[in-house]
Amino acid sequence: GRLEAVTQQMGYHPQYLDSFLKTQHYLMHMDGPLPFDCRHYIAIMAAARHHCRYLVNLHVLQFLQAGGDPQWLRGLDYIPPKIRNLNEINKILAHRPWLITKEHIEKLLKISEWSWSLAELVHAVVLLAHCHALASFVFGCGCEQDEGLGGRGSLKTLSPGTQCFLEASNSCGQELLRISRKRSLDSCMELDSLRERMQQIHVETEGREEMRLLQQDWEEGEGQGWRGPCVTDSCAGLFPLADPIGEVTGATNLACYMQDPDFGYQDFARRDENQTQVFRVQDYSWEDHGFSLVNRLYSDIGHLLDEKFRMVDGLQSTAMAKRQGCEPSVFKRGIWNYIHCMFGIRYDDYDYAEVNQLLERVLKVYIKTVTCYPEKTNTEMFNRFWKQFKHSEKVHVNLLILEARMQAELLYALQAITRYMI
C-alpha cells in the first residue's frame, strides 16, 4: 500500500506504530459520524494545505475505493458546500490554530441545510489535525520523496494545466485501478501479522539505513551546496534549501484542493497582542477537558488518541538525552513544550530557558521547519541533523513533532467548541 514508507519509518518503534494504526483505522474505516468517502476527502484537503502529495495520493485511492464521486477530485468547486465550508478551519488549524474562535464553530453548525452536527464536526476536526500532523511526519522523514511503488526517488510532477493532477492519463489510470484492487494496508491487514512484520523491518532496516546514510555522506562530502531554509536570517547556512516549486512540493498540482494558498504559518511571538491571548494549559488541557469532550461526541476516539499521546511519551531516547546531559523525560518535555510554544501554548510550571539549553540550534531549526512549514523540508535536512545518532532516534523526534502538533491543534479546536457549547 501507499502507506508503506510511513509504516517503515514508524516501524523503528513498533509499539507506537501499533497505536498509530489502530487510531488511523478507527478514524478512517470504523463506524463514525462521517461517511467514508467524506473522511478521505477531508484528509485530501488537510494534506493539500502542506502540498503533501504522498498523503493526497493515498487518500485519493481510498476515496475512490469507498465509492467517492470522481468529480470531487477536480477540486473544491466540485464538492458539496457542506464539505467546502470546512476550508476555513482547515486553513486556520494547519497554519495558525490560535486564530480559531467559537464563531468559526457556530458558522459551521448553523448554515441551514449545509449545517454540521457537533459529532460530525468533532470527527472532521480530529481528521484535519491527524492529517496535518502526519504531513509533518511524512516530510520530516523523507517519505514525500518515496515513489511508493518504485522505492526511493523524486516524485514526478505532471504538466501544468487546467486539470487537477489526479485526473490521470490512461496509463496512470490503469495503475490506479491495479492499486485499488489491492487490499488497503491499514484497513485489511491484521494487526498481529503487522506487528510481526514491523519487528522484522525494525531489525533488517536499521543497519541498512545507517549504511545508506554513511555511503551518501561519503559520496557527497561535507559542506557542498549548502543553503539554509528560510526560517530566520540567523539560521541561514544550516541546511540545503528546499525547491519551493520543484519535484518535492509540486504546489501547482494541489491548488485545486485549497483556497487562499498564501495563508501560512506566522510566528506566534510576532502576533498582534490585542488580537489573541496565550493559551495556558492550566486553563484548558487535554487531560482535564479535551479528552472528555472528544470522547463524548465521538465515542472511543479519545481513548485511542490518549493512548497514542502516552505511547510517544513512553518511547526511550537515551542516546539523545545523554548527549545533552539530562534525563530522557526532561529532553522529551523540552521538545514537546518548544513545539507547543510555537503555537502559543504555555505551561506555567515550565522554565522555558531550558529549551535553549537542551536543544541545539540545528535541532531547533529542524523542529520548527517540520512543525510549522513541513513542505520546506527535504531529505537532506533529515540526513544532516544529528548524524551521529541512529535513524530510530531521528524518527523519534519526528514522532514527538507529530503528536505535539496534533495535540496543539486539537486543544484550540476543542476549546472553541467548548466555548460554543457554554
Side-chain angles (χ1 to χ4, degrees):
R2 291 284 296 182
L3 198 59
E4 187 60 21
V6 169
T7 59
Q8 285 191 25
Q9 297 297 331
M10 291 185 181
Y12 287 102
H13 304 280
Q15 288 182 316
Y16 174 85
L17 174 63
D18 184 36
S19 180
F20 172 86
L21 289 179
K22 284 193 297 184
T23 303
Q24 171 139 310
H25 179 79
Y26 189 84
L27 276 173
M28 295 295 179
H29 304 287
M30 298 297 286
D31 290 340
L34 293 176
F36 295 113
D37 58 341
C38 291
R39 301 181 197 191
H40 292 293
Y41 199 87
I42 290 170
I44 292 170
M45 292 172 62
R49 285 306 314 182
H50 287 305
H51 316 305
C52 186
R53 290 186 291 153
Y54 177 96
L55 290 180
V56 169
N57 282 327
L58 168 71
H59 288 288
V60 162
L61 293 174
Q62 297 195 359
F63 170 79
L64 294 173
Q65 289 173 0
D69 184 350
Q71 286 296 314
W72 291 17
L73 300 180
R74 299 179 66 184
L76 298 183
D77 293 336
Y78 298 88
I79 65 175
K82 179 176 179 177
I83 302 177
R84 188 164 59 246
N85 289 335
L86 276 180
N87 179 69
E88 185 68 12
I89 65 168
N90 177 32
K91 176 183 74 174
I92 293 173
L93 283 177
H95 305 295
R96 304 176 205 171
W98 58 86
L99 295 181
I100 194 168
T101 65
K102 68 176 183 180
E103 284 72 28
H104 291 109
I105 304 302
E106 183 177 21
K107 184 178 179 181
L108 289 169
L109 297 176
K110 294 185 176 180
I111 311 180
S112 61
E113 72 269 26
W114 305 116
S115 63
W116 290 72
S117 69
L118 268 174
E120 289 174 330
L121 184 56
V122 167
H123 192 172
V125 162
V126 175
L127 278 173
L128 291 172
H130 173 81
C131 292
H132 295 155
L134 186 54
S136 284
F137 182 86
V138 166
F139 279 106
C141 288
C143 303
E144 176 70 4
Q145 294 191 49
D146 193 311
E147 290 182 278
L149 299 175
R152 289 191 175 275
S154 298
L155 284 167
K156 296 179 175 63
T157 56
L158 300 181
S159 301
T162 57
Q163 291 182 318
C164 175
F165 88 105
L166 292 162
E167 296 179 44
S169 63
N170 290 336
S171 59
C172 291
Q174 293 174 2
E175 183 67 8
L176 283 173
L177 181 60
R178 185 180 72 81
I179 298 169
S180 69
R181 288 170 179 165
K182 292 185 177 181
R183 299 170 67 185
S184 171
L185 177 65
D186 59 349
S187 63
C188 300
M189 182 179 288
E190 291 293 336
L191 286 177
D192 288 342
S193 174
L194 181 60
R195 277 192 290 268
E196 293 177 5
R197 182 179 175 216
M198 294 320 302
Q199 288 285 1
Q200 182 180 358
I201 289 175
H202 175 67
V203 172
E204 295 177 354
T205 310
E206 181 79 47
R208 185 169 65 248
E209 183 66 19
E210 292 304 314
M211 290 300 296
R212 186 186 69 79
L213 295 179
L214 287 172
Q215 179 67 23
Q216 179 174 304
D217 287 339
W218 175 263
E219 292 173 353
E220 293 179 353
E222 289 293 326
Q224 295 182 4
W226 278 36
R227 293 170 61 192
C230 300
V231 180
T232 60
D233 293 339
S234 62
C235 297
L238 293 176
F239 300 115
L241 182 66
D243 182 0
I245 57 174
E247 291 186 338
V248 175
T249 56
T252 55
N253 290 332
L254 301 184
C256 61
Y257 293 124
M258 57 180 162
Q259 298 171 356
D260 195 5
D262 294 330
F263 187 90
Y265 176 79
Q266 186 178 78
D267 281 345
F268 182 84
R270 298 176 184 174
R271 74 199 189 286
D272 182 350
E273 294 289 344
N274 297 323
Q275 197 173 54
T276 186
Q277 298 294 320
V278 169
F279 187 112
R280 299 198 177 278
V281 174
Q282 284 70 19
D283 298 329
Y284 195 96
S285 67
W286 166 256
E287 294 81 6
D288 297 332
H289 306 90
F291 170 81
S292 58
L293 176 64
V294 75
N295 222 42
R296 176 157 54 92
L297 293 172
Y298 182 14
S299 178
D300 293 332
I301 192 63
H303 293 293
L304 291 168
L305 293 174
D306 195 61
E307 176 188 301
K308 196 154 59 80
F309 293 146
R310 294 178 186 275
M311 188 65 67
V312 78
D313 185 56
L315 295 178
Q316 295 301 312
S317 54
T318 308
M320 293 189 292
K322 279 184 179 179
R323 175 176 169 80
Q324 305 307 119
C326 65
E327 292 296 319
S329 60
V330 174
F331 185 77
K332 286 184 291 186
R333 190 182 184 193
I335 293 178
W336 188 278
N337 289 1
Y338 175 56
I339 294 167
H340 276 196
C341 184
M342 288 187 285
F343 288 116
I345 299 174
R346 306 280 289 188
Y347 295 79
D348 288 344
D349 61 347
Y350 185 73
D351 180 7
Y352 284 87
E354 286 189 10
V355 171
N356 290 329
Q357 297 170 5
L358 294 171
L359 308 183
E360 300 170 352
R361 176 180 289 184
V362 171
L363 179 58
K364 287 176 67 178
V365 173
Y366 177 81
I367 290 173
K368 183 171 184 178
T369 305
V370 175
T371 302
C372 302
Y373 12 71
E375 60 275 11
K376 293 185 179 181
T377 314
N378 58 33
T379 51
E380 286 299 311
M381 295 177 66
F382 180 84
N383 294 337
R384 293 289 185 184
F385 96 88
W386 279 5
K387 291 183 182 180
Q388 65 270 40
F389 286 101
K390 293 182 179 180
H391 189 85
S392 60
E393 299 277 4
K394 296 183 177 185
V395 173
H396 186 183
V397 171
N398 278 278
L399 292 178
L400 286 168
I401 293 172
L402 186 161
E403 296 300 338
R405 177 180 178 176
M406 181 173 185
Q407 188 178 104
E409 291 189 26
L410 285 177
L411 283 175
Y412 277 109
L414 295 175
Q415 184 190 55
I417 292 173
T418 300
R419 288 175 173 172
Y420 166 80
M421 295 172 64
I422 295 176

